[in-house]
Amino acid sequence: MLFELVFGKVMEFLKRDFEEDSVKIEVYKDGLRLTTFEGVLELVKGGEYTVPRWLADLLAKKGYVKIKDARIPVESLSVLAYNEETAYSKPLTNKLKGFFYMTMFKARRDLTEEAKTTGDLSKFEELKKIEDAMDSLLKSRVRKLVNYSLLPDVQQDVEEKLSEEERYLLKTLRAIVALWKKKVGE
């Protein structure tokens, strides 16, 4: 129960960091002004800017901007999953940047909403491919992270390939294993 509470709070911090992560936007409307610490920033139609994800989402929902880096193409995601799956007993093969999983799950939610709204069957097909690739990638990488949690140290090249969510998961797994060893040995 306590673990679930602590885990939930840490995930809230991780999600907050995800929302504060910078994304690129393209502006569709003239006359947008944002107040920043440096002063007022006027966004020009057709211009590209980098803003926090939460702000980009807010502006995109109102139709003022388009978020530029919201989705990884299905083909690329499938290749990532295939590479990890075929290298079952080998170290991590792909480098996942930033908040990879949160970005992908958000893209999946957005695509689901888009498919429901438009009724476009090709969106449902794309959604199924994304879900299959994500499921495969998640299982392969978590399996490898469980193995890494049992090692005394994780190599630097492996550490560099982890997404932010995987770094947290690995630290959590290592802490659980260390606590378990300690309690079993008492």
Side-chain angles (χ1 to χ4, degrees):
M1 185 73 150
L2 180 60
F3 176 74
E4 189 175 329
L5 178 65
V6 171
F7 182 78
K9 286 297 175 190
V10 172
M11 286 306 295
E12 285 178 24
F13 287 121
L14 197 59
K15 286 179 183 177
R16 188 204 64 217
D17 288 348
F18 171 69
E19 290 297 325
E20 289 294 328
D21 197 33
S22 297
V23 295
K24 292 181 183 178
I25 58 170
E26 181 180 347
V27 179
Y28 286 155
K29 184 176 179 179
D30 269 331
L32 286 176
R33 294 184 182 156
L34 301 177
T35 304
T36 67
F37 291 115
E38 292 84 27
V40 176
L41 173 64
E42 187 154 349
L43 304 180
V44 178
K45 184 177 181 177
E48 288 188 11
Y49 301 89
T50 302
V51 299
R53 185 179 311 278
W54 66 268
L55 180 58
D57 286 339
L58 181 70
L59 294 172
K61 283 179 185 169
K62 293 186 179 217
Y64 298 150
V65 303
K66 179 182 179 193
I67 301 172
K68 300 289 281 185
D69 56 344
R71 289 188 195 153
I72 294 175
V74 177
E75 296 78 23
S76 298
L77 187 57
S78 295
V79 168
L80 288 173
Y82 177 79
N83 289 343
E84 290 297 342
E85 211 171 67
T86 56
Y88 175 78
S89 62
K90 296 181 180 173
L92 298 172
T93 56
N94 301 293
K95 180 176 182 173
L96 301 182
K97 297 179 183 175
F99 295 94
F100 176 82
Y101 294 99
M102 288 184 182
T103 301
M104 289 309 305
F105 281 113
K106 182 180 182 322
R108 187 184 75 182
R109 283 190 305 273
D110 293 347
L111 186 60
T112 301
E113 189 59 38
E114 192 178 321
K116 287 178 182 176
T117 304
T118 65
D120 183 354
L121 294 180
S122 67
K123 299 287 182 199
F124 288 108
E125 291 169 12
E126 182 182 358
L127 185 59
K128 175 71 173 131
K129 289 178 184 176
I130 287 173
E131 287 175 345
D132 289 346
M134 282 295 295
D135 187 52
S136 174
L137 183 64
L138 197 61
K139 286 178 183 174
S140 298
R141 291 195 57 111
V142 168
R143 189 178 312 116
K144 291 178 183 184
L145 289 174
V146 168
N147 289 335
Y148 290 136
S149 72
L150 302 171
L151 299 174
D153 290 315
V154 178
Q155 297 171 336
Q156 182 67 24
D157 63 323
V158 169
E159 181 87 23
E160 291 171 356
K161 292 180 180 178
L162 301 177
S163 70
E164 293 298 322
E165 300 95 340
E166 289 173 336
R167 285 182 216 287
Y168 171 70
L169 178 58
L170 183 59
K171 286 178 186 175
T172 303
L173 290 170
R174 295 185 106 190
I176 290 169
V177 169
L179 181 61
W180 178 80
K181 282 182 185 178
K182 180 181 173 185
K183 291 298 181 184
V184 168
E186 287 182 347

